[in-house]
């Protein structure tokens, strides 16, 4: 068989890299569960028509079907596609199981997703996402819009990454302000503002006039609003100083100030109100969040989300939600590519039991079984080579200890220091820091 050609956009980590990814996933899972979120997993496929409802183009959805489909794929209702995010599956899951769920429903979900876009740094065709959401039935209290970014800030602070900046905005502010200045195409204005960091204020002003129907004066006012940022109530004061007042604007300002002040108290310096954040505001209805790594802003947002007033609806009942999603593969790729962290070893094994001869392998396997029974990850040497070669095998894998069974008693060697001492498999335990692989910042 010829050497296979890698498929771009489908990352495969080596064992030591996978250990870093596993650490990230474990931290996220543990943090979410500490805050009362229950884990779920949904199927990988959804009906294509459901996937396309969120605005994804058909070019980005991977269709799924048998090579020899009996109906030739003629029935569009039966067409399935791989989910490109975890929000569409969540909406379907809530509708399907609403009678068995307790609301507010706090859920986290960590799964693979697939998106048929052009691969580039930080963007993959197959990647892992970690979502955390709270879904209500008919109503959902605002305090969950405050809780979600604080949970995410706690999770990210426990990862081997630089500090994060969570930028927050509120759809009500933009909509209320634009209405107040007589600008009716809110979505068009938001799409233009979303390009501010890429093309600058002059070009955005032109887009506001050309695509959103703004006058030059309205474009100037919209850019003044987008320039405001801060971590306290001064944000609202600066918005009001622009001379625009509407009930919806005031509601959005009150919510934004409550969020940033709570965050400044809990996680100082992490959350900032940034009224230029516009991505997603056309389908979010309240708070919206975008997260970047300080010093790695070129990577773009690693975690985003917001409030939906209608995550799902069955016609008689509406389920509002608020959530955040982390691009785990995107984050791990930067951790590995920038050398931000590394695993202490490539394998979980803490002890390699040496084999004196193949006739004595059973004895080595008995030692390994005794250590495993006490929760110590243990492997047995693959061959009865010279002990020096077996030690080198352990060293290549990063295994810290080699165990030598002996007729007059066993001994264990720390191959890093060279220290060797008598040991009993019924009682010996490695130091806590050596029991399992660890991931450390580099």
């Amino acid at each position: 068989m010829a050497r296979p050609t890698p498929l771009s956009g489908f990352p495969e980590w080596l064992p030591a890299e996978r250990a870093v990814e596993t650490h990230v996933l474990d931290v996220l899972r543990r943090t979410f569960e500490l805050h009362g979120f229950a884990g779920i997993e949904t199927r990988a496929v959804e009906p294509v028509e459901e996937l396309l409802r969120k605005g994804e183009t058909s070019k980005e959805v991977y269709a799924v079907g048998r090579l020899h489909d009996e109906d030739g794929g003629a029935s569009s209702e039966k067409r399935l596609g791989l989910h490109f995010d975890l929000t569409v599956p969540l909406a379907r899951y809530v509708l399907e199981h609403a009678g068995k769920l307790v609301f507010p429903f706090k859920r986290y979900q960590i799964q693979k997703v697939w998106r048929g876009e052009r691969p580039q740094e930080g963007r993959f065709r197959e990647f892992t996402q970690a979502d955390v959401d709270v879904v209500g039935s008919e109503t959902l209290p605002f305090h969950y819009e405050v809780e979600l970014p604080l949970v995410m800030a706690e999770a990210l602070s426990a990862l081997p990454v630089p500090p994060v900046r969570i930028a927050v905005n509120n759809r009500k502010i933009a909509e209320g302000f634009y209405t107040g200045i007589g600008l009716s195409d809110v979505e068009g204005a938001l799409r233009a503002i979303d390009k501010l960091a890429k093309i600058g204020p002059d070009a955005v002003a032109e887009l506001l006039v050309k695509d959103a129907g703004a006058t030059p004066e309205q474009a100037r006012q919209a850019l003044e609003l987008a320039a405001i940022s801060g971590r306290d109530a001064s944000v609202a004061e600066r918005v009001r100083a622009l001379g625009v007042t509407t009930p919806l604007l005031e509601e959005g300002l009150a919510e934004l100030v409550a969020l940033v002040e709570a965050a400044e108290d809990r996680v100082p310096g992490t959350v900032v109100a940034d009224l230029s954040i516009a991505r997603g505001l056309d389908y979010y209805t309240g708070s919206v969040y975008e997260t970047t790594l300080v010093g790695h802003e070129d990577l773009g947002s690693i975690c985003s989300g917001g409030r939906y007033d209608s995550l799902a609806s069955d016609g008689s009942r509406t389920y509002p939600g608020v959530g955040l999603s982390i691009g785990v593969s995107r984050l791990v790729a930067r951790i590995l590519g920038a050398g931000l962290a590394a695993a202490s070893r490539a394998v979980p094994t803490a002890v390699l039991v040496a084999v004196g001869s193949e006739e004595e392998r059973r004895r080595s396997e008995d030692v390994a079984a005794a250590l495993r029974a006490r929760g110590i990850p243990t492997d047995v040497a693959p061959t009865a080579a010279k002990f020096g070669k077996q030690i080198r095998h352990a060293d290549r894998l990063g295994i810290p200890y080699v165990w030598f069974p002996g007729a007059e008693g066993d001994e264990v060697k720390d191959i890093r220091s060279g220290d060797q001492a008598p040991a009993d498999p019924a009682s010996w335990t490695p130091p806590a820091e050596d029991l399992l692989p660890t991931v450390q910042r580099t």
Side-chain angles (χ1 to χ4, degrees):
M1 179 180 177
R3 185 175 181 177
T5 302
L7 291 175
S8 62
F10 295 85
E12 292 181 329
W13 309 124
L14 295 173
E17 297 169 335
R18 171 61 177 165
V20 173
E21 182 184 45
T22 298
H23 173 75
V24 170
L25 297 174
D26 288 345
V27 168
L28 295 176
R29 187 178 296 109
R30 183 167 61 249
T31 305
F32 297 158
E33 291 180 353
L34 281 173
H35 286 267
F37 291 83
I40 68 168
E41 181 172 314
T42 59
R43 64 200 187 202
V45 298
E46 299 290 341
V48 168
E49 63 270 19
E50 293 298 324
L51 293 173
L52 297 182
R53 282 186 181 179
K54 195 183 174 185
E56 208 76 0
T57 69
S58 58
K59 293 180 180 178
E60 295 174 328
V61 175
Y62 282 105
V64 176
R66 293 178 296 175
L67 287 177
H68 300 286
D69 196 342
E70 293 179 359
D71 65 5
S75 176
S76 61
E77 288 77 19
K78 295 181 180 179
R79 292 189 64 199
L80 300 176
L82 294 170
H83 55 224
F84 54 80
D85 72 359
L86 299 178
T87 303
V88 172
L90 173 63
R92 190 267 310 159
Y93 182 94
V94 168
L95 290 176
E96 190 170 328
H97 301 286
K100 301 174 184 177
L101 298 175
V102 176
F103 294 95
F105 173 47
K106 300 179 70 172
R107 143 287 197 188
Y108 76 87
Q109 188 171 350
I110 302 175
Q111 279 186 243
K112 293 276 191 181
V113 297
W114 296 266
R115 189 169 296 173
E117 58 184 5
R118 183 173 64 86
Q120 52 186 298
E121 184 181 7
R123 290 188 177 275
F124 304 103
R125 294 174 175 175
E126 177 185 68
F127 53 99
T128 299
Q129 274 191 198
D131 282 22
V132 58
D133 289 80
V134 182
V135 180
S137 177
E138 297 293 359
T139 62
L140 184 68
F142 167 74
H143 65 79
Y144 288 114
E145 295 178 51
V146 178
E147 177 182 349
L148 263 292
L150 297 181
V151 171
M152 197 58 73
E154 181 179 326
L156 292 170
S157 69
L159 295 178
V161 297
V164 299
R165 176 182 180 270
I166 302 178
V168 300
N169 198 355
N170 195 296
R171 160 75 186 226
K172 297 172 185 176
I173 294 174
E175 187 169 349
F177 185 87
Y178 294 160
T179 300
I181 63 174
L183 182 57
S184 59
D185 188 358
V186 175
E187 282 73 21
L190 290 172
R191 285 193 295 270
I193 293 295
D194 189 36
K195 298 179 172 64
L196 189 57
K198 293 181 179 179
I199 64 177
D202 292 340
V204 168
E206 292 180 9
L207 285 177
L208 286 167
V209 173
K210 178 183 176 182
D211 297 340
T215 66
E217 176 61 16
Q218 289 171 332
R220 180 190 65 79
Q221 291 174 297
L223 286 168
E224 285 185 334
L225 178 70
I228 294 174
S229 64
R231 294 190 174 94
D232 54 31
S234 65
V235 171
E237 296 168 6
R238 291 170 63 192
V239 173
R240 295 187 183 107
L242 298 179
V244 179
T245 301
T246 66
L248 187 60
L249 172 61
E250 288 300 321
E251 184 179 338
L253 288 174
E255 291 179 353
L256 185 64
V257 168
L259 197 166
V260 295
E261 289 188 337
E264 191 64 17
D265 182 56
R266 287 273 299 278
V267 286
T270 300
V271 176
V272 58
D274 184 343
L275 302 194
S276 71
I277 298 299
R279 185 180 304 164
L281 278 176
D282 57 338
Y283 50 85
Y284 289 120
T285 55
S287 299
V288 65
Y289 323 100
E290 277 200 0
T291 307
T292 53
L293 295 180
V294 175
H296 296 263
E297 289 81 2
D298 63 299
L299 184 61
S301 178
I302 60 164
C303 173
S304 61
R307 164 77 181 242
Y308 298 87
D309 272 341
S310 183
L311 173 72
S313 177
D314 60 9
S316 61
R317 185 173 293 273
T318 298
Y319 300 92
V322 58
L324 277 156
S325 174
I326 297 181
V328 175
S329 298
R330 183 184 185 87
L331 184 59
V332 170
R334 178 52 61 100
I335 292 173
L336 297 173
L340 300 177
S344 58
R345 57 184 187 258
V347 296
T349 312
V351 181
L352 180 75
V353 183
V355 178
S357 67
E358 289 303 328
E359 290 72 24
E360 297 173 325
R361 176 171 291 276
R362 178 63 179 273
R363 176 177 173 79
S364 297
E365 291 174 346
D366 289 344
V367 170
L371 292 171
R372 292 175 190 138
R374 297 177 46 244
I376 302 172
T378 306
D379 201 358
V380 179
T383 63
K386 292 182 178 179
F387 284 156
K389 187 173 182 179
Q390 296 185 53
I391 292 173
R392 286 193 296 274
H393 176 74
D395 186 49
R396 283 194 296 270
L397 294 172
I399 300 172
Y401 297 95
V402 175
W403 191 285
F404 299 101
E408 298 180 1
D410 296 357
E411 293 191 347
V412 65
K413 181 184 184 73
D414 183 335
I415 65 173
R416 299 161 299 183
S417 66
D419 294 340
Q420 187 167 324
D424 183 344
S427 59
W428 179 87
T429 300
E433 62 270 20
D434 290 334
L435 182 62
L436 297 169
T438 59
V439 172
Q440 303 293 334
R441 300 174 190 262
T442 55

